Amino acid sequence: VPRRERIVAPGPIANREVFFRWPFRRVRFLHFATHAWFDGEHPSLSGLLLAERNGRDDQLRAYEIQRLQLAADLVVLSACETGRGAGREVRGEGLFGLAQSFLVAGAGSAMASLWQVHDQATARLMESFYAGLLQDGLRPSAALRQAELALRRQAAWRDPYFWAGFVIFGEPEARSR
């Protein structure tokens, strides 16, 4: 992504205060490379870790995500188990999970993981995914497939554990630009 078109918030800069000031209405892709958790008892309390400041974790909860007004074509949740709860009906809340929270907030689609992912393999997968998406002009599903196949061809990452954990929810083609 060209420098003038991206917002990067690494480490302690990725805190709640900064996050809620971002211009979400102008963001086409939103990428989170962080830690996540799913709360099966109270799914709305599931969330993403933004940063650690002064010994406290800044967290973004599912119920807060749903209140955002997004115009993003794609949200990528590059963290463990961000697709957990997906497709699971929660009494009184319908289908729920972090990916669904971003869809409720207005994202066209969300990419999430179904299990605890390997850091190095995920980094390589994401590099290849974004090359396909941004350089080759592939749709998110095609870019993900291409990235998975590329990782699978490498001896160290051949096992599906390393490359098959990410899925895409939503309908990116339904959003017009």
Side-chain angles (χ1 to χ4, degrees):
V1 176
R3 189 175 301 274
R4 70 186 188 297
E5 294 180 21
R6 65 180 167 197
I7 300 169
V8 179
I13 295 170
N15 61 61
R16 291 176 60 81
E17 185 179 314
V18 169
F19 179 81
F20 285 110
R21 286 195 317 240
W22 285 351
F24 292 113
R25 285 256 176 239
R26 296 182 304 182
V27 175
R28 185 164 177 218
F29 302 111
L30 188 56
H31 182 98
F32 292 89
T34 187
H35 296 286
W37 68 94
F38 179 73
D39 186 327
E41 289 290 312
H42 306 284
S44 64
L45 298 179
S46 301
L48 298 170
L49 177 64
L50 294 179
E52 183 181 323
R53 293 185 312 155
N54 304 325
R56 289 190 54 212
D57 290 339
D58 269 358
Q59 303 169 352
L60 182 61
R61 303 290 184 149
Y63 71 89
E64 295 173 303
I65 293 166
Q66 290 183 0
R67 294 178 185 155
L68 298 173
Q69 294 183 346
L70 298 179
D73 291 337
L74 174 68
V75 174
V76 176
L77 303 172
S78 182
C80 294
E81 301 178 334
T82 50
R84 200 161 163 213
R88 179 173 161 245
E89 188 166 344
V90 176
R91 186 178 178 100
E93 298 187 38
L95 298 180
F96 205 86
L98 288 172
Q100 284 77 11
S101 294
F102 280 99
L103 297 177
V104 167
S109 60
M111 188 163 96
S113 65
L114 299 176
W115 55 73
Q116 290 188 9
V117 293
H118 187 274
D119 286 345
Q120 287 179 300
T122 298
R124 288 180 186 222
L125 182 83
M126 291 299 160
E127 287 173 7
S128 183
F129 169 75
Y130 280 110
L133 186 71
L134 300 173
Q135 294 170 0
D136 301 339
L138 298 175
R139 297 166 70 103
S141 57
L144 177 59
R145 176 167 166 64
Q146 178 177 285
E148 289 172 336
L149 292 173
L151 201 60
R152 180 180 173 192
R153 284 191 289 272
Q154 297 177 34
W157 312 114
R158 189 164 291 139
D159 190 292
Y161 162 76
F162 296 111
W163 55 265
F166 284 92
V167 293
I168 297 177
F169 299 94
E171 298 183 62
E173 52 278 344
R175 183 175 296 275
S176 61
R177 280 238 168 235

